[in-house]
Amino acid sequence: MPYHAETIVVGCGNILFKDDGFGPFVIHNLEEYFEDKEMPDEVMFIDAGTGATHFIFSLPDEYWKKVIVIDVVEFDAEPGTVKVFSPYDMPRGKYENVHSWPVEEPLHDLAKDCEVIIVGCKPQEISSPDVEMGLTEPVEKAIPEAMDIILKEIGVK
């Protein structure tokens, strides 16, 4: 299994569509954070892009104890607000990736066998189908908060 670790941290989203790239940007920042620090054992960071639903969540590893998903989530808040969700907080049919594949059902299935949390950020703008790279200011400013949450979840802070 290519994703064989007790804890996987999965950044979801497409960097071509503005704030939809939040998950991959957070993963990149976490990798930079650990360039000169020791990574916790049994933790893996994955930039899943738009493939998490098909290539990660639908192919679980029995070794996983915790899956932390980083993504944009539409909820009633100001853009750039970060919140931790359970997969059961996600209304069915409302949490989809950019290709309209429902994400909550694979996460519900995963949650039967391991702990699953979603670190979600309220987007300001998803440019799809227009290509616009880079995060909006409020979402970019949310990266450190998301990182702090994740670092606590993996036992670093």
Side-chain angles (χ1 to χ4, degrees):
M1 216 37 191
Y3 306 117
H4 189 71
E6 287 184 1
T7 300
I8 62 168
V9 182
V10 183
C12 301
N14 191 330
I15 62 167
L16 299 177
F17 300 135
K18 240 167 166 44
D19 291 341
D20 193 46
F22 178 72
F25 273 98
V26 172
I27 291 293
H28 176 74
N29 279 268
L30 286 164
E31 291 170 339
E32 282 185 347
Y33 176 86
F34 282 106
E35 282 179 355
D36 61 352
K37 296 172 184 64
E38 189 173 334
M39 272 277 290
D41 290 338
E42 296 294 338
V43 173
M44 182 180 288
F45 297 129
I46 303 164
D47 174 354
T50 59
T53 306
H54 285 329
F55 301 114
I56 299 173
F57 304 148
S58 64
L59 300 169
D61 187 322
E62 60 192 27
Y63 194 65
W64 296 349
K65 292 185 179 171
K66 181 184 281 192
V67 175
I68 303 168
V69 179
I70 313 156
D71 204 352
V72 288
V73 176
E74 283 293 342
F75 61 104
D76 189 22
E78 292 295 316
T81 302
V82 176
K83 183 177 176 182
V84 176
F85 298 90
S86 128
Y88 303 105
D89 294 333
M90 304 287 105
R92 288 195 179 272
K94 297 294 183 191
Y95 180 44
E96 299 178 340
N97 70 17
V98 74
H99 299 288
S100 298
W101 293 324
V103 177
E104 78 278 352
E105 289 184 33
L107 292 178
H108 289 172
D109 291 342
L110 266 180
K112 294 173 187 171
D113 298 316
C114 67
E115 180 183 2
V116 176
I117 67 163
I118 300 156
V119 178
C121 179
K122 168 75 175 201
Q124 178 173 314
E125 180 183 352
I126 306 287
S127 64
S128 175
D130 298 323
V131 173
E132 288 188 48
M133 295 180 73
L135 302 176
T136 60
E137 185 178 347
V139 172
E140 186 172 349
K141 286 182 175 181
I143 290 174
E145 182 181 356
M147 287 178 61
D148 284 344
I149 292 167
I150 294 158
L151 291 171
K152 287 175 188 162
E153 286 289 332
I154 64 174
V156 173
K157 286 191 170 190

